[in-house]
Amino acid sequence: EVQLLESGGGLVQPGGSLRLSCAASGFTFSSYAMTWVRQAPGKGLEWVSAISGSGGSTNYAESAKGRFTISRGNSMNTLYLQMNSLRADDTAVYYCARLDGDYAMDVWGQGTTVTVSS
Amino acid sequence: DIQLTQSPSFLSASVGDRVTITCRASQGISNYLAWYQQKPGKAPKLLIYVASTVQNGVPSRFSGSGSGTEFTLTISSLQPEDFATYYCQHLSSYPYSFGQGTKLEIK
């Protein structure tokens, strides 16, 4: 079964850091680009970042540039999101998703919650 | 950056109704558009990709159309499990973006 499982969320103070992980199973991880999408409480979906299958190409939303770093460990079938200089408006559920080429995010994890608060 | 605007933002309908949601892009995106359904507390679920291709396992009452800047998602006969929030998303170029969502409620 194709599956994504996020972890690493939690409560962090403003200015702090957090690393999210997304463990993939049931497919050839290195063959797919991967992405992070977040959803603030009561709000819509916001694309955050994406990484190619090899890890050699990355892209970020303006809100993530300079603070977040996406990476992957293909030998471990794991996607990461390193988040630094966190702000209150980064509070959200963070989802990882598999990118089916340029066509869609076809597999999603269940999400991990990040709360930035003092 | 490409902006997506969905209409309506809220839709009240009854079981058995036919409903259409529109997604307009701020510039042409060919057919690089997907539609997702999200229920409260759950991850989004892919319904439609490349504007009109129905994802495996999605009921045939869901359909999509459009190209360029205007797209539609149609549910031909609403079922109780269809009441949810729907999002369009473009994958034409980075940064990807989503529409603001359409919440479909039971009348």
Side-chain angles (χ1 to χ4, degrees):
Chain A
E1 181 189 3
V2 174
Q3 208 167 18
L4 298 172
L5 186 63
E6 301 96 334
S7 61
L11 174 64
V12 61
Q13 292 189 337
S17 298
L18 212 54
R19 188 175 86 154
L20 306 182
S21 299
C22 170
S25 59
F27 64 100
T28 304
F29 183 65
S30 60
S31 294
Y32 290 86
M34 298 292 296
T35 190
W36 289 96
V37 173
R38 69 183 183 182
Q39 186 169 38
K43 302 298 184 182
L45 301 171
E46 180 188 12
W47 174 76
V48 174
S49 183
I51 187 168
S52 63
S54 67
S57 177
T58 58
N59 288 276
Y60 297 92
E62 199 60 40
S63 59
K65 280 181 186 174
R67 299 188 303 127
F68 294 3
T69 302
I70 191 171
S71 62
R72 63 191 297 158
N74 284 347
S75 62
M76 298 290 289
N77 291 341
T78 304
L79 174 72
Y80 303 101
L81 185 68
Q82 176 68 42
M83 303 187 295
N84 299 329
S85 304
L86 284 162
R87 311 185 297 232
D89 62 359
D90 295 317
T91 294
V93 175
Y94 285 72
Y95 296 100
C96 64
R98 187 177 80 170
L99 276 168
D100 180 13
D102 295 326
Y103 304 135
M105 297 173 183
D106 66 340
V107 179
W108 293 68
Q110 86 292 346
T112 188
T113 300
V114 172
T115 303
V116 184
S117 175
S118 55
Chain B
D1 296 357
I2 297 168
Q3 314 298 323
L4 297 179
T5 304
Q6 289 181 232
S7 60
S9 295
F10 297 94
L11 182 55
S12 182
S14 301
V15 173
D17 283 354
R18 177 185 180 92
V19 299
T20 297
I21 299 168
T22 298
C23 177
R24 289 187 174 87
S26 59
Q27 62 189 79
I29 58 170
S30 184
N31 64 344
Y32 289 98
L33 189 100
W35 290 96
Y36 302 87
Q37 177 194 68
Q38 188 180 33
K39 296 182 178 180
K42 299 295 187 182
K45 173 188 173 183
L46 175 64
L47 298 175
I48 305 280
Y49 60 99
V50 291
S52 60
T53 301
V54 180
Q55 174 72 339
N56 286 342
V58 173
S60 59
R61 63 181 179 272
F62 290 91
S63 63
S65 66
S67 183
T69 61
E70 187 152 335
F71 302 86
T72 59
L73 172 70
T74 299
I75 310 172
S76 60
S77 178
L78 276 172
Q79 298 302 300
E81 60 268 29
D82 299 337
F83 291 93
T85 301
Y86 293 84
Y87 295 92
C88 60
Q89 181 206 20
H90 88 84
L91 297 98
S92 173
S93 60
Y94 287 110
Y96 293 165
S97 62
F98 291 88
Q100 82 278 13
T102 295
K103 187 173 184 179
L104 179 53
E105 298 181 327
I106 301 175
K107 184 183 286 184

